[in-house]
Amino acid sequence: MPGVLGISWHAIKHWYYSHFCRLTATVLTEADIPRVQGFYCGSADWETYVADWLKSGEVIKDMKNPRRQTQTWLFWRRRRLVGFGSLGKTRRPIPAGTPQFVDAAIIPFFGVDKDYHGKPRYASRDDRYAGQIMNHLIHHARQFDLPYLCLYVDPENDRAKGFYRKFEFEDMGRGKNNMDVMAIRLA
Ligand SMILES: CC(C)(COP(=O)(O)OP(=O)(O)OC[C@H]1O[C@@H](n2cnc3c(N)ncnc32)[C@H](O)[C@@H]1OP(=O)(O)O)[C@@H](O)C(=O)NCCC(=O)NCCS
């Protein structure tokens, strides 16, 4: 009986978050740059780096670079920008440091506004705002039909690493610019 109650409670919560906390994704274009100027995801070096990539318009340069083919989405709730995520293709040694280069999908940048970190508080991994964005990126990465989805993360960025581990990203060693490489297998 407690098991049944547990499942029902989980289903009710999921229903609630799906209806009232669902983010809307829009594809970022140059016209969005003025609208993202209020985005703030923290004051640590790696956090300002993430926000600056978006706000400075560097994101647009990467989108136009044919080698990177980066796509970026903005995620909104009630007209407020909750976060953004980007996706591209790359060829990298995975695990890092090995001579074996593989084609992989990559998340170049990903951030959630500080006001929304850890929110909605009692939601499951997939219903959290950051989780919704990650699931969107994984869904699109699968369409590339590549074996890995990888990303680079600052070795001191424990929160992001904790978040990626929840989504089963594994540590793949230290990559270029002294950043940690994490990846999941897609196929
Ligand atoms: C990374 C980011 C998108 C994650 O979003 P979030 O809303 O903070 O993520 P969640 O709260 O769902 O998950 C974070 C998890 O990290 C873990 N965590 C949090 N602080 C931690 C710490 N100091 N050490 C280790 N793990 C930590 C927790 O397990 C937490 O999950 P839980 O609350 O379910 O236990 C967000 O923090 C962010 O935008 N950070 C700034 C930009 C950034 O660093 N981007 C990534 C660049 S690679």
Side-chain angles (χ1 to χ4, degrees), residues 41 46-47 50 110-112 116-118 128 130 152-153 157-160 162-164 166:
C41 60
W46 55 84
E47 293 169 329
V50 168
F110 172 45
V112 167
Y116 297 95
H117 285 187
R128 287 245 179 116
Y152 283 69
V153 57
N157 193 349
D158 292 329
R159 186 173 186 104
F163 171 77
Y164 296 136
K166 283 200 299 183

Side-chain angles (χ1 to χ4, degrees), residues 161-179:
K161 288 202 269 187
F163 171 77
Y164 296 136
R165 286 189 190 115
K166 283 200 299 183
F167 278 81
E168 288 154 32
F169 280 79
E170 290 177 29
D171 297 283
M172 293 281 174
R174 189 62 56 89
K176 64 176 193 177
N177 299 333
N178 249 350
M179 300 281 270

Side-chain angles (χ1 to χ4, degrees), residues 42-57:
S43 56
D45 286 353
W46 55 84
E47 293 169 329
T48 49
Y49 183 61
V50 168
D52 286 349
W53 181 75
L54 178 71
K55 297 194 284 187
S56 68

Side-chain angles (χ1 to χ4, degrees), residues 114-131:
K114 189 98 178 159
D115 286 349
Y116 297 95
H117 285 187
K119 306 267 179 67
R121 185 170 297 176
Y122 300 109
S124 67
R125 178 193 87 164
D126 296 318
D127 286 328
R128 287 245 179 116
Y129 295 125

